Amino acid sequence: MLVWTLFEYFAHRYLFHFEAESELGKKIIYIFHGNHHEYPRDRERLFMPPVPSIILATVVFSLIYLGSYLLAGSGSYAFVFFPGFLIGYLIYVSMHYAIHAFAPPRALKGLWRNHHLHHYKYPEKAFGVSSVFWDIIFRTLPESEKKETREKIETTNTVYIPNKFSTTTNNLKS
């Protein structure tokens, strides 16, 4: 799970918020993640499309297999490690869906708040979804907010238009 949360953090921060320069790169980033930032309350845009997900899973499995082979002389460890990694992914997508679709349970309010701050106020911070651990380690946890602002973000049912996106998202509004 620790490896999954680190992967989640880096993928969200550096892959999904990558500042592409080519038009094709901008379109790919928009399809992967920019459209979700543009429409964060749209339940149809909460998951990466299946084909890119399968491609990414294949790349990740191949890297894990290669790492297992290089470190242990056998790729067999990938068959033990990868299912745990996939379980981490399934927990992440379930939590991400719940964060956008439902009111937070009391015990998980901090995660809901962190992700909503990422969408509506600090798109350059709060990259962890299933954990804030790496946001703390890499100092990307948003600053404390006034209680009224927190409550407004946590309890709203309206669609907000974020005031700032990455350059890629700004250039590719649909």
Side-chain angles (χ1 to χ4, degrees):
M1 287 305 297
L2 188 64
V3 173
W4 164 256
T5 60
L6 182 61
F7 178 84
E8 170 196 318
Y9 178 88
F10 279 115
H12 190 189
R13 183 174 183 179
Y14 296 109
L15 180 62
F16 296 153
H17 285 267
F18 180 72
E19 294 292 336
E21 294 186 16
S22 71
E23 287 304 310
L24 177 62
K26 290 176 185 179
K27 287 179 183 177
I28 290 170
I29 296 300
Y30 184 81
I31 290 168
F32 272 29
H33 194 67
N35 64 9
H36 171 59
H37 269 268
E38 189 171 348
Y39 303 101
R41 297 247 182 222
D42 184 346
R43 292 180 184 191
E44 298 295 317
R45 299 171 196 255
L46 295 179
F47 300 104
M48 190 183 308
V51 173
S53 293
I54 291 168
I55 292 169
L56 186 57
T58 302
V59 169
V60 168
F61 177 80
S62 299
L63 291 172
I64 292 170
Y65 188 90
L66 178 64
S68 171
Y69 185 79
L70 293 174
L71 293 173
S74 170
S76 299
Y77 292 104
F79 294 101
V80 175
F81 183 83
F82 191 67
F85 192 82
L86 281 181
I87 290 169
Y89 173 73
L90 293 174
I91 291 169
Y92 154 77
V93 294
S94 299
M95 183 171 286
H96 188 243
Y97 185 86
I99 286 171
H100 285 278
F102 307 114
R106 184 175 298 218
L108 298 175
K109 250 185 177 178
L111 288 175
W112 260 246
R113 177 183 173 272
N114 196 54
H115 194 63
H116 283 144
L117 286 171
H118 171 72
H119 274 281
Y120 302 121
K121 190 160 187 174
Y122 302 110
E124 73 286 351
K125 294 185 177 194
F127 297 103
V129 175
S130 59
S131 168
V132 297
F133 179 75
W134 298 111
D135 283 311
I136 293 167
I137 298 297
F138 296 118
R139 299 180 183 207
T140 55
L141 195 64
E143 299 172 18
S144 296
E145 298 290 315
K146 291 182 181 176
K147 185 177 180 183
E148 304 84 38
T149 304
R150 263 198 328 265
E151 288 173 354
K152 183 178 179 182
I153 290 171
E154 291 171 351
T155 61
T156 184
N157 286 325
T158 59
V159 175
Y160 278 90
I161 306 291
N163 57 2
K164 57 183 176 178
F165 292 109
S166 67
T167 307
T168 300
T169 304
N170 277 335
N171 291 337
L172 291 169
K173 300 263 186 185
S174 61

